[in-house]
Amino acid sequence: MSVNGVLVCGEITREGDIDSITLELLSIGRRLAESSGEKLIVALFGDGIGKAAEEVAYYGADMVYKVESPLLEGLNVDIWVEAVDGLYREIQPKILLMGQTATGMDIAPRLAFKLNTPLTTDCTDLNVDAEDGLLLRTKPVYGGNVSGVFKYQEEPQFVTVRTKAFEPVERGSAKCEIIPFNPDIDRSMIKVESIERVKEEVVELDKAEVIVAAGRGIEEPENLEKLQELLDLLKRYFDSGEIGCSRPLVDQGWLSSPHQVGLTGQKVAPQLYIAIGISGASQHVAGISGAKKVVAINKSSEAPIFKIADYGVVGEYEETLPAFKQKLEEIL
Amino acid sequence: MSELKIIVCIKKIPDPEAPPKAVSIDSEAKRVTFTGVAPMINPFDENALEAAIRLKEANGGYITVLSLGEKKSKQVLSKAFAVGIDKLILINDANLKDLDSYSRAYVLSKAIERIGKYDIIFTGRQAGDWDSGQTGLLLAEFLQIPSINLVRSVEVEDGELIVKKVKPDGYEVAKTKIPALITASNEIGELRYVSVKQLIEARKEPVDIWNDDDLGLDQQKLRRLGIVDLYKPEIEKECYFVEGESPQEKGENLAILLVEKDSVISA
Ligand SMILES: Cc1cc2nc3c(=O)[nH]c(=O)nc-3n(C[C@H](O)[C@H](O)[C@H](O)COP(=O)(O)OP(=O)(O)OC[C@H]3O[C@@H](n4cnc5c(N)ncnc54)[C@H](O)[C@@H]3O)c2cc1C
Ligand SMILES: Nc1ncnc2c1ncn2[C@@H]1O[C@H](COP(=O)(O)O)[C@@H](O)[C@H]1O
């Protein structure tokens, strides 16, 4: 007999810890489980993930599935899809939740095809329709200029959830049961072979407390140095800080992609976000809705960034920035 | 090796940088409408086109561009001729509107079967209208070929594709057998410059139009977008504009504001 329920496919960081998206999914998953009277199940995948599985059992789920295999080391997409598919067939969940992460973006569409069910990606809110019990899937469309609510009949009700759209669930004191699951996977399922994994730059934008972000308005890559100086100063007063940017800077090779903030970049939630020479296109703004305070410096008073900023400076940043920095040093 | 047969799937969308005020909702018809917004090729599809052109330049090849959409997409899509594609096919049928990603992938797969032999299919990673990011990977599933998502560079070597795939802290080098599908990320490169004159010339090129019957579609497989509601999100904040006689003075006042009034920065 199958378990049904709401199944959260969690993620583990490369260091073997529970990824924040797992706790965010458990938070919305709990709400959905309650409104549909279903169990909440979380699954973790990988090799040697015992520690993370023990830990995740404290975060309000009714069951943990520990899906382990040496083949799940290194996250080969083809293998991973088969593993989730196998678990799906065992549990037959009514609702299936994944993160709209690098991994989720790769797996969810392929899995949706296998399960022959419509997938709604990058949801920012989810509710159960009281009339028919189906999932109401809210997702930003047209770059965030419009919100859409979608509904489909097919099971499982399958969505990916935007990172940072929900607060992570708190650790509790009760621990739920952990069920090991052996997926039926083998090497022959691999269609795309990984040759090499190259680490270029680790940018912890998602955890940064202060972000100084550059847009096309900074005009020359050399000018990034001025932003870095400001960041270095601010980092004395915040626990962590990073340089962020809009997409054109990545396109031009001024910064590597891990610095990009927005719809197809990182979602951030710093205490302070300083946008310099960024127009504020909806696709950029989609990444900063979690920021506590947004400061925008832009020479055009019409720039849409001011519509979402708390504090605005209309002016050339070259002139504003040195004075801002000097004054900070003076009064802090 | 014989020349590469490349297919690029591109879509016409309204300019994704249109300001919020140019966008409105027809709640009754559950439609998004635009005023004074120019149509264009989805930016990631332009990246896909550029990658295809570079492969053709390096290896020799024949590029077919495929699009499912309105008849009036023709003008916008024909830009592809200006950068050096060989054939443009537009799938157009009143019955093929408002499809979800799955069904769009299905229709594209039937068109590709009709085109015949191919080595590489390119799509963009995501279309800036419904921001779904699924069609490419689903298309590969329909065609039962390998696919690689979010690619930033491609090479062909001895019947294999070698790509760099974007990862959160760098990239992964991966390889697969041809035929295969690739979804292009912006890092793969911007579409080369096209002059107005080239654009005008490109519009004279012939476009093949295929309809529902040409493709022999299974109507059961056509799923519509399940739209329950569309609305404009309220995201506007009240921005406090920092005052000052000069940009310098504004900079100083910003520091005072953040430290002394708001205390978002504190020693
Ligand atoms: C599907 C899709 C996904 C996308 N995803 C993302 C994403 O994840 N992240 C992202 O950022 N973009 C994304 N984009 C691109 C986005 O639409 C915009 O093109 C991009 O954000 C614009 O970057 P920008 O503001 O730096 O450049 P611009 O729009 O060119 O703005 C430059 C700004 O600098 C100001 N400026 C110029 N000189 C100065 C000066 N001296 N001092 C002060 N201000 C000055 C100008 O007034 C202007 O407002 C996406 C687009 C699509 C279609
Ligand atoms: N109607 C269409 N015609 C041609 N290609 C499309 C169409 N819809 C989607 N695509 C391709 O699939 C990619 C992803 O689209 P989407 O899943 O809608 O975000 C796009 O970047 C296009 O390359």
Side-chain angles (χ1 to χ4, degrees):
Chain A
M1 211 193 73
S2 44
V3 187
N4 302 134
V6 176
L7 174 62
V8 164
C9 287
E11 290 187 36
I12 300 175
T13 65
R14 294 183 87 190
E15 291 72 37
D17 302 321
I18 302 165
D19 195 296
S20 170
I21 184 67
T22 308
L23 306 181
E24 294 160 30
L25 290 169
L26 280 168
S27 154
I28 175 63
R30 172 47 67 200
R31 206 174 86 195
L32 297 175
E34 261 154 34
S35 40
S36 58
E38 293 282 339
K39 286 200 175 76
L40 177 63
I41 306 148
V42 57
L44 292 180
F45 302 78
D47 189 28
I49 55 166
K51 201 179 107 240
E54 290 291 322
E55 177 60 18
V56 83
Y58 288 97
Y59 287 84
D62 299 301
M63 293 168 178
V64 175
Y65 273 83
K66 182 173 68 166
V67 186
E68 276 188 306
S69 156
L71 282 174
L72 288 169
E73 173 82 59
L75 292 183
N76 179 283
V77 178
D78 302 316
I79 292 279
W80 183 284
V81 169
E82 297 292 337
V84 186
D85 183 43
L87 183 66
Y88 171 78
R89 281 167 216 288
E90 167 87 8
I91 301 177
Q92 308 263 321
K94 294 212 156 51
I95 296 177
L96 181 53
L97 306 178
M98 290 178 100
Q100 177 75 356
T101 56
T103 312
M105 275 188 258
D106 266 4
I107 291 162
R110 291 166 164 120
L111 185 63
F113 184 88
K114 265 187 163 286
L115 303 180
N116 192 18
T117 195
L119 164 70
T120 309
T121 53
D122 207 18
C123 294
T124 51
D125 197 17
L126 296 167
N127 290 287
V128 174
D129 189 329
E131 268 170 39
D132 51 23
L134 296 172
L135 206 53
L136 291 166
R137 310 144 181 224
T138 303
K139 99 172 226 108
V141 295
Y142 289 93
N145 273 335
V146 178
S147 288
V149 182
F150 301 85
K151 184 164 91 169
Y152 298 94
Q153 300 289 330
E154 290 87 342
E155 276 188 16
Q157 301 266 294
F158 188 10
V159 299
T160 65
V161 174
R162 179 172 289 189
T163 54
K164 296 221 160 52
F166 297 96
E167 286 291 325
V169 66
E170 301 274 337
R171 192 181 196 274
S173 50
K175 187 179 174 192
C176 70
E177 70 174 316
I178 300 171
I179 304 159
F181 180 78
N182 258 328
D184 192 5
I185 48 181
D186 63 77
R187 280 209 172 277
S188 71
M189 293 163 174
I190 298 179
K191 290 176 278 183
V192 177
E193 209 184 313
S194 177
I195 301 174
E196 196 190 1
R197 184 83 164 69
V198 179
K199 210 170 179 172
E200 287 183 307
E201 204 181 352
V202 178
V203 186
E204 297 201 298
L205 274 177
D206 57 332
K207 299 192 187 83
E209 286 205 350
V210 59
I211 294 171
V212 177
R216 185 144 53 188
I218 69 157
E219 281 160 5
E220 301 290 339
E222 292 73 42
N223 294 334
L224 280 168
E225 226 162 277
K226 295 180 194 142
L227 276 63
Q228 183 66 51
E229 284 166 16
L230 173 63
L231 179 68
D232 290 341
L233 171 65
L234 289 170
K235 270 164 74 172
R236 292 193 219 143
Y237 308 101
F238 292 91
D239 290 340
S240 53
E242 294 281 3
I243 292 285
C245 70
S246 63
R247 201 182 73 189
L249 274 70
V250 173
D251 290 342
Q252 280 156 14
W254 296 1
L255 283 169
S256 65
S257 3
H259 288 280
Q260 183 181 319
V261 173
L263 182 64
T264 48
Q266 293 297 309
K267 312 292 180 294
V268 301
Q271 298 295 320
L272 177 61
Y273 188 85
I274 305 183
I276 300 171
I278 294 180
S279 63
S282 55
Q283 293 87 358
H284 183 81
V285 168
I288 59 177
S289 60
K292 301 285 175 311
K293 286 282 150 68
V294 176
V295 172
I297 303 176
N298 196 300
K299 71 174 180 191
S300 159
S301 64
E302 297 293 305
I305 190 79
F306 292 124
K307 294 253 191 306
I308 59 97
D310 297 279
Y311 301 115
V313 175
V314 180
E316 307 266 345
Y317 86 95
E318 298 92 323
E319 319 263 337
T320 306
L321 219 49
F324 173 53
K325 195 168 150 268
Q326 201 180 359
K327 192 74 185 174
L328 280 179
E329 281 174 318
E330 216 177 285
I331 59 179
L332 276 166
Chain B
M1 200 184 129
S2 64
E3 65 172 22
L4 289 172
K5 292 193 169 53
I6 304 173
I7 296 172
V8 188
C9 298
I10 71 174
K11 186 179 197 189
K12 183 202 76 165
I13 62 166
D15 182 351
E17 290 187 51
K21 63 174 184 292
V23 184
S24 38
I25 310 284
D26 177 347
S27 333
E28 207 133 287
K30 295 197 181 116
R31 256 176 207 295
V32 186
T33 55
F34 296 86
T35 358
V37 176
M40 53 173 62
I41 298 174
N42 178 44
F44 291 117
D45 303 353
E46 289 206 342
N47 298 126
L49 260 179
E50 177 63 27
I53 300 285
R54 287 184 200 169
L55 273 188
K56 178 179 165 179
E57 284 169 346
N59 304 276
Y62 186 89
I63 303 179
T64 306
V65 166
L66 188 59
S67 188
L68 163 64
E70 303 168 297
K71 273 240 173 61
K72 62 177 188 231
S73 309
K74 259 163 64 177
Q75 280 233 339
V76 170
L77 303 176
S78 62
K79 178 180 180 185
F81 279 116
V83 295
I85 65 148
D86 301 284
K87 191 185 179 73
L88 174 58
I89 301 169
L90 176 62
I91 310 162
N92 173 267
D93 200 297
N95 185 31
L96 301 178
K97 281 193 177 143
D98 304 322
L99 299 178
D100 73 354
S101 298
Y102 173 91
S103 309
R104 265 186 278 125
Y106 167 64
V107 175
L108 293 171
S109 77
K110 297 300 276 186
I112 289 171
E113 280 169 14
R114 187 168 187 227
I115 291 171
K117 201 182 141 2
Y118 58 90
D119 299 307
I120 307 170
I121 302 172
F122 282 98
T123 71
R125 65 179 279 182
Q126 178 165 326
D129 48 6
W130 298 104
D131 288 317
S132 161
Q134 303 188 49
T135 307
L137 299 182
L138 290 167
L139 172 56
E141 295 302 315
F142 275 110
L143 295 168
Q144 294 183 294
I145 59 171
S147 55
I148 309 179
N149 204 17
L150 313 190
V151 168
R152 66 178 225 189
S153 77
V154 203
E155 277 170 53
V156 183
E157 234 179 76
D158 304 327
E160 285 188 323
L161 275 186
I162 303 179
V163 309
K164 284 186 186 158
K165 172 179 163 52
V166 178
K167 287 279 179 180
D169 57 1
Y171 62 92
E172 178 182 7
V173 184
K175 81 174 178 193
T176 191
K177 290 220 162 49
I178 278 173
L181 180 141
I182 276 171
T183 82
S185 192
N186 46 300
E187 293 88 346
I188 213 164
E190 281 179 80
L191 185 62
R192 58 201 57 199
Y193 176 77
V194 175
S195 70
V196 176
K197 189 160 164 271
Q198 285 174 307
L199 268 184
I200 294 169
E201 284 302 308
R203 290 199 186 134
K204 296 179 189 152
E205 297 285 342
V207 180
D208 288 22
I209 308 234
W210 292 0
N211 64 25
D212 197 331
D213 290 338
D214 293 327
L215 302 181
L217 299 176
D218 173 357
Q219 301 296 320
Q220 301 285 323
K221 283 212 165 85
L222 299 182
R223 268 195 317 234
R224 310 286 154 182
L225 278 168
I227 302 174
V228 177
D229 192 15
L230 291 171
Y231 60 92
K232 293 193 67 169
E234 285 298 332
I235 43 168
E236 297 200 7
K237 286 190 195 170
E238 197 63 59
C239 179
Y240 176 85
F241 284 96
V242 180
E243 288 171 20
E245 292 296 322
S246 62
Q248 287 86 345
E249 198 182 319
K250 286 183 189 170
E252 291 171 6
N253 288 341
L254 177 65
I256 296 170
L257 186 69
L258 295 183
V259 176
E260 291 174 359
K261 301 237 172 62
D262 186 294
S263 59
V264 53
I265 309 174
S266 60

